[in-house]
Amino acid sequence: MSRIVTVAAAQLGPIQRAEGREGVIGRMLRLLERAHQRGAQVVVFPELALTTFFPRWYCEDLDEADAWFEPSLPSPATQPLFDAIKRFGVMVYLGYAELAWEPDEQGIVRKRRFNTSVVIAPNGEIVLKYRKVHLPGHAEFAEHRQVQHLEKRYFEVGNLGFPVVRAPVAPGVDANLGMLICNDRRWPEAWRVLGLQQVELVMLGYNTPSRNQDNRGFEAHHLRVLHSHLSIQAGCYQNATFAAAVAKAGTEDGHELLGHSIIVNPQGEIIAMAATWDDELIVADCDLDLCELGRNTVFNFAKHRRPEAYTRLVEQTGSVAPAVWTPSV
Ligand code: CDV
């Protein structure tokens, strides 16, 4: 019997800074209802799905940014989403800004902020939580940039690793579920940690500007989508997994975010893609048994991996210049 799960990528169009949670949740509820009507059992929303992509805005005092964060889930604002999840009986990936009071590395309980995603079960319980590891951007106001990208200011590096869990996703079908958030998709190490746990469906949300905003070199506009898709397709192929990669898209607070949300199979093929920069649903049937081929052949990790040759990967962060060869005569 095949293990088919119907997956929906629920792309969101822009969320303006002035738009309140209520408006956003209303849009998400409409997408959830349509996903349910189209038979979806798993619905994936973008990174930081409840607000504008606020790391483009500088706040001197971090506490001023608290309105963009969720101190609990469900919260009064997100309760309607949890109610709809139960009503439609779907599983949901939700990206949000998490405010947590918890001990730091010194054991001191303090206010902590993470760029987080959760998988919510059809009964409303949290199945799995992930906190973004690869935080792009900078922590201080950057004069050279036209648009700020202050993720390193607003968030701490995620401290939950890259967890994978096996959970029921459809009648009679359990799946190995993992998560990434936006910039993580560009790092093969992150995918491999999921692959080493036999992940079968990677859910990931993203907010990616359609131009390189660093202003320190030229990157052609059209390469932005290529690099996003290339990373996701390679991650799926090399780890024999499906992925649903879901964008926030369109002109948000005057700045373009690329859309092009995709669902990818374990061969690395795009099997569904968004065509707009608006709220849009794409749906694909994913037969999880297709993960077996790669996992048992080319990417049979137990047979072919050589961790003893990979020590640099965990012992070194930045690259170093290689040894220099010079001709003997
Ligand atoms: N939200 C992100 O992580 N965005 C990054 C941008 C800054 C390049 C990304 O990798 O898409």
Side-chain angles (χ1 to χ4, degrees):
M1 205 181 85
S2 54
R3 296 165 60 229
I4 294 178
V5 55
T6 305
V7 176
Q11 176 175 288
L12 285 170
I15 300 173
Q16 309 307 334
R17 191 176 179 176
E19 186 169 347
R21 294 274 199 294
E22 215 172 286
V24 181
I25 299 279
R27 289 164 56 185
M28 294 171 80
L29 294 186
R30 284 190 285 281
L31 284 166
L32 260 190
E33 180 165 18
R34 281 172 41 212
H36 173 65
Q37 285 163 354
R38 290 177 63 180
Q41 288 139 337
V42 176
V43 182
V44 181
F45 285 109
E47 172 193 35
L48 300 176
L50 303 172
T51 63
T52 190
F53 187 72
F54 64 85
R56 69 168 71 89
W57 302 110
Y58 179 79
C59 284
E60 179 67 39
D61 177 357
L62 279 188
D63 290 344
E64 284 170 28
D66 280 359
W68 283 315
F69 285 77
E70 308 303 314
S72 63
L73 267 191
S75 54
T78 54
Q79 187 60 52
L81 196 60
F82 279 74
D83 294 342
I85 287 169
K86 283 191 203 162
R87 191 162 63 251
F88 298 132
V90 289
M91 177 172 266
V92 163
Y93 165 105
L94 174 69
Y96 67 106
E98 180 191 10
L99 196 68
W101 283 93
E102 61 180 44
D104 60 18
E105 289 67 35
Q106 281 73 46
I108 298 165
V109 174
R110 63 175 175 83
K111 203 182 210 180
R112 306 186 66 180
R113 299 172 175 85
F114 298 97
N115 186 341
T116 298
S117 58
V118 285
V119 175
I120 307 165
N123 70 357
E125 283 179 58
I126 305 292
V127 177
L128 194 64
K129 182 189 273 195
Y130 168 67
R131 289 168 170 169
K132 186 175 183 178
V133 167
H134 298 98
L135 297 174
H138 44 102
E140 299 304 329
F141 190 86
E143 295 286 351
H144 73 280
R145 295 180 63 105
Q146 277 171 356
V147 187
Q148 301 298 302
H149 194 110
L150 291 154
E151 285 197 61
K152 286 192 194 313
R153 181 175 193 79
Y154 289 119
F155 305 120
E156 294 183 53
V157 172
N159 56 359
L160 302 176
F162 294 99
V164 172
V165 72
R166 189 169 181 84
V169 287
V173 181
D174 291 349
N176 301 345
L177 305 170
M179 291 182 274
L180 297 174
I181 302 180
C182 195
N183 191 261
D184 288 322
R185 75 193 186 284
R186 305 184 195 273
W187 299 91
E189 299 90 335
W191 287 93
R192 184 48 50 89
V193 177
L194 296 176
L196 285 167
Q197 299 168 83
Q198 300 183 359
V199 72
E200 293 172 318
L201 175 62
V202 176
M203 294 169 268
L204 77 96
Y206 61 95
N207 281 266
T208 299
S210 58
R211 288 176 197 280
N212 187 323
Q213 297 171 328
D214 197 77
N215 293 355
R216 279 188 291 206
F218 174 72
E219 186 179 281
H221 203 166
H222 68 279
L223 295 178
R224 305 288 285 178
V225 173
L226 172 69
H227 293 160
S228 179
H229 286 183
L230 192 63
S231 304
I232 298 158
Q233 291 178 256
C236 285
Y237 168 62
Q238 292 168 350
N239 295 282
T241 180
F242 283 90
V246 186
K248 177 116 69 61
T251 306
E252 191 175 85
D253 296 334
H255 306 290
E256 253 177 43
L257 294 168
L258 57 89
H260 291 82
S261 301
I262 48 175
I263 302 175
V264 176
N265 72 15
Q267 299 286 9
E269 293 172 297
I270 295 174
I271 54 174
M273 179 161 71
T276 73
W277 276 9
D278 219 326
D279 293 0
E280 181 179 347
L281 201 70
I282 55 170
V283 181
D285 287 336
C286 301
D287 181 353
L288 302 175
D289 283 343
L290 296 180
C291 301
E292 294 290 328
L293 179 68
R295 204 190 283 159
N296 294 328
T297 58
V298 180
F299 297 112
N300 182 328
F301 293 157
K303 260 195 185 152
H304 306 305
R305 286 186 79 248
R306 291 285 167 248
E308 70 278 11
Y310 311 148
T311 49
R312 257 184 211 279
L313 288 178
V314 287
E315 289 174 357
Q316 187 179 321
T317 306
S319 64
V320 291
V324 177
W325 178 86
T326 46
S328 52
V329 281

